[in-house]
Amino acid sequence: MKFVLITGANRGIGFELTKQCLSLGHTVIATMRSTLKNELFSNLPNSQNLILETLDVNSCESVSTLFSKVRSYNLKIDWIFNNAGIIDWSSIHEVDAESFRDIYETNVIGAFRVLRGAIKVMNGNNNSLIINLSSRLGSIHLRGETQLGGAIAYQCSKASLNMLTKQASIDLAEHGIKVISVSPGWVRTDMGGSDAKYEVEESVKLLLAQINQLPKNSNGIFLGEDGNEIPW
Ligand SMILES: NC(=O)c1ccc[n+]([C@@H]2O[C@H](COP(=O)([O-])OP(=O)(O)OC[C@H]3O[C@@H](n4cnc5c(N)ncnc54)[C@H](OP(=O)(O)O)[C@@H]3O)[C@@H](O)[C@H]2O)c1
């Protein structure tokens, strides 16, 4: 049984992660910008193991309030899913600087805020894992080798998130915390759209299976939902 914290848990991949982690018997702190739509969570399995908290990853105050609360619960977190994210599909010719900035604010700086805030509340037993939800669209290596691409700000943000993963995996090793990037594949959510390859249930099932069977020394890697490492 794990203690799991998930950002952006009110819909899409974050909601499904909450549901499947509860089904597996884990305790979940599901965080979201607004907890007003609590009824969404009322029919989830093992809901006695669910804690709902407010978190806007764009706000330092919100992050700090959340981790103060977590400290007061006196529990140590095993897994953090840095899942909250936004996209702008605009190409290099269309994107505006403000949108570019907004995407970095959430996808990179937001993830960084959560990661840094989490250090003191994590188990630190070398099984603690921060899982950054990245994307193959953020792989510099894959550029030009696939038909994917075009969402310039999003791609840059996920490449930057990957650097956060790599460097944090080195810097947090002495705290007994591992950090990885994962790509969930192309998933049918508000972000992924209806043409995407995976139903959200399938993508999350694959991701959790990969995380559960991670070799003990896996750290600072970029893992696909298919279990293969993705080149940075
Ligand atoms: N879907 C895909 O095909 C795909 C592929 C590769 C990677 N990913 C990554 O997987 C993650 C989840 O994607 P998804 O498809 O589930 O997206 P989604 O359906 O659009 O959901 C995004 C989630 O992030 C939350 N969020 C956005 N900004 C936030 C903020 N400032 N603070 C807290 N929460 C915030 C949203 O909350 P609100 O409801 O409040 O807006 C929502 O819960 C993202 O990081 C995404 O980049 C997705």
Side-chain angles (χ1 to χ4, degrees), residues 8-14 33 55-58 83-86 106 133-135 154 158 184-187 189-192:
N10 56 307
R11 59 188 169 96
I13 293 170
R33 284 197 269 205
L55 175 67
D56 179 347
V57 303
N58 290 7
N83 166 77
I86 56 172
T106 302
L133 267 286
S134 184
S135 167
Y154 180 80
K158 292 298 185 181
W186 187 21
V187 191
T189 60
D190 292 339
M191 183 183 290

Side-chain angles (χ1 to χ4, degrees), residues 7-15 31-34 55-59 82-87 89 105-107 110 132-137 154 157-158 161 182-193 196-198 200:
T7 68
N10 56 307
R11 59 188 169 96
I13 293 170
F15 183 73
T31 72
M32 60 215 77
R33 284 197 269 205
S34 166
L55 175 67
D56 179 347
V57 303
N58 290 7
S59 156
N82 247 329
N83 166 77
I86 56 172
I87 195 165
W89 289 100
E105 184 68 47
T106 302
N107 295 4
N132 290 329
L133 267 286
S134 184
S135 167
R136 286 179 178 80
L137 289 176
Y154 180 80
S157 77
K158 292 298 185 181
L161 178 68
V182 297
S183 170
W186 187 21
V187 191
R188 272 165 247 159
T189 60
D190 292 339
M191 183 183 290
K197 176 176 176 185
Y198 292 112
V200 67

Side-chain angles (χ1 to χ4, degrees), residues 37-68:
K37 291 187 182 157
N38 277 359
E39 69 273 14
L40 269 180
F41 294 87
S42 54
N43 292 325
L44 293 187
N46 297 326
S47 57
Q48 73 281 3
N49 295 335
L50 174 65
I51 302 166
L52 298 182
E53 291 293 353
T54 306
L55 175 67
D56 179 347
V57 303
N58 290 7
S59 156
C60 292
E61 197 187 336
S62 177
V63 173
S64 153
T65 304
L66 172 79
F67 285 114
S68 299

Side-chain angles (χ1 to χ4, degrees), residues 9 17 30 34-35 37 49 72 83 88 91 107 109 122 124 131 134 176 180 194 197 199 206 217 221 224 231:
L17 276 168
S34 166
T35 47
K37 291 187 182 157
N49 295 335
S72 74
N83 166 77
D88 175 342
S91 74
N107 295 4
I109 304 170
M122 293 202 78
I131 301 139
S134 184
I180 64 171
S194 55
K197 176 176 176 185
E199 289 293 352
L206 289 169
N217 57 353
I221 57 167

